[in-house]
Amino acid sequence: MLFWIISVAMALVVASLLIGALRAARLHDVTAANSDIAVYKDQLTEVERDLARGILTEAEAEAVRIEVSRRLLEADNRSSDREFDQTGQSGPGIAIVALVVVVGGIATYAWLGAPGYGDMPMQARLAALEVARADRPAQVAAEAEVVDQLPKPEAPDPAFLTLMAQLRSAVAERPDDIQGLTFLAQYEARIGRFAQAREAQEQIVAVKGNSATVVDRLTLIDIMVFAAGGYVSPEAEAVLRDILRQAPENGAARYYLGLVEAQAGRADRAFPIWARLLEDSPPNAPWVPVVRAEILAVAFAAGVTNYKLPVISGLPALRPEDIEAADEMTPQERAEMIQGMVGRLADRLAIEGGPPEDWARLISTLGVLGDTQRARAIAAEASSVFAGNAAALELIARASAQAGIAQ
């Protein structure tokens, strides 16, 4: 109600100012006509004085009287017309101005505004976003929503399905068997049962407990986000927080952290995370193209209008349609995006190399996604690269076992 009182009061003030301006204009015209009448009367008096002094002859004085009288009559008529116009039109004019300003303003707000809604200051909006974030869909609900939109693998061989049934029974009997769980996560993903692959990978992390590595947890997040069509669920965020406590500068984890903030409507938090990630990351890091495709839209949502993408030599500039397409990804396209990130990681390691943690993550992720042939080739390459490095070889061996390709 206070809003409407203030709005109507402001409209009335504006209307009063406009009406006052119109009345002042009319009064100005009337005052000018009256001033002319006074001047002409003075001129007639002056003519009589000049005639008495002998400055003018009677004929000259008569001619001046006629001309001044004519002008006096015109001024008097003009003054009468103005006064009539003001008296006769001020009422309708005031009504029209008041109607246009007050009623027109209210009608415009009713059309373009949001009547009936209370004020929503920034603090209240941020609080509402946090409530929505807390109530966002869980992992299982998100998987159920997009299950029909994820990539479909080829139909497996009936014999393979029989072996899968036996594997599930074996894991059910020995739920702490890391090797069995690793095979289960790998093969469930291979036949397109991504939710079941996620469950197996969750079990691996739970069984390992404090000994679960960053690679174990990143592999879990990869499959969780993949299974949910690119959505970071509350459960995936909890795993992410564990990773960041253990490895706060991990690039993949920082990418997912920015993604979860962006999906929660907190572009103000997502933008600085991704902006710094782009500054810190090598040009061929697997998340760089994805972040570059989305960060301009996030910057705009955060109110940052002067952000410029870092210039990377040899990397083509993003077109507006590329950015727009990133915002409109379907779950299948986001799943393919994750596969693209894995592919770019593989390319970087093949060309430039990298720490053993990156090799281990690539091997285990490929295993979960069912690409065991490629995982086996990369594991062999990693063993050659880190020959003589016992700690690195142990990490590669654990990843190979998790991917189900251990010899």
Side-chain angles (χ1 to χ4, degrees), residues 282-298:
N284 52 2
W287 52 80
V288 166
V290 182
V291 174
R292 288 179 67 90
E294 299 187 5
I295 193 170
L296 291 182
V298 172

Side-chain angles (χ1 to χ4, degrees), residues 286-344:
W287 52 80
V288 166
V290 182
V291 174
R292 288 179 67 90
E294 299 187 5
I295 193 170
L296 291 182
V298 172
F300 179 80
V304 180
T305 58
N306 58 350
Y307 177 71
K308 301 293 183 184
L309 282 169
V311 177
I312 300 178
S313 177
L315 186 64
L318 289 171
R319 300 169 298 173
E321 53 267 32
D322 296 330
I323 299 170
E324 185 175 337
D327 289 338
E328 299 176 354
M329 283 184 179
T330 65
Q332 180 174 353
E333 290 169 339
R334 288 194 176 275
E336 292 171 354
M337 174 195 73
I338 295 173
Q339 289 180 323
M341 291 176 62
V342 173
R344 284 187 290 272

Side-chain angles (χ1 to χ4, degrees), residues 358-378:
D358 285 355
W359 289 86
R361 181 195 174 205
L362 178 59
I363 293 167
S364 60
T365 301
L366 287 172
V368 169
L369 294 179
D371 195 350
T372 53
Q373 183 177 357
R374 194 175 180 191
R376 187 174 288 105
I378 291 172

Side-chain angles (χ1 to χ4, degrees), residues 55-88:
I55 296 176
L56 296 176
T57 65
E58 182 62 36
E60 291 173 338
E62 184 63 23
V64 173
R65 289 191 195 98
I66 293 172
E67 179 61 25
V68 173
S69 297
R70 183 183 64 80
R71 294 182 180 181
L72 179 60
L73 182 60
E74 290 178 355
D76 184 64
N77 291 335
R78 189 168 66 251
S79 177
S80 298
D81 291 342
R82 294 294 185 187
E83 290 178 354
F84 175 78
D85 289 345
Q86 183 181 356
T87 303

Side-chain angles (χ1 to χ4, degrees), residues 254 272-282 288 307-308 310:
R254 289 161 63 190
I273 293 172
W274 277 355
R276 181 168 168 257
L277 180 60
L278 283 182
E279 294 172 359
D280 297 344
S281 300
V288 166
Y307 177 71
K308 301 293 183 184

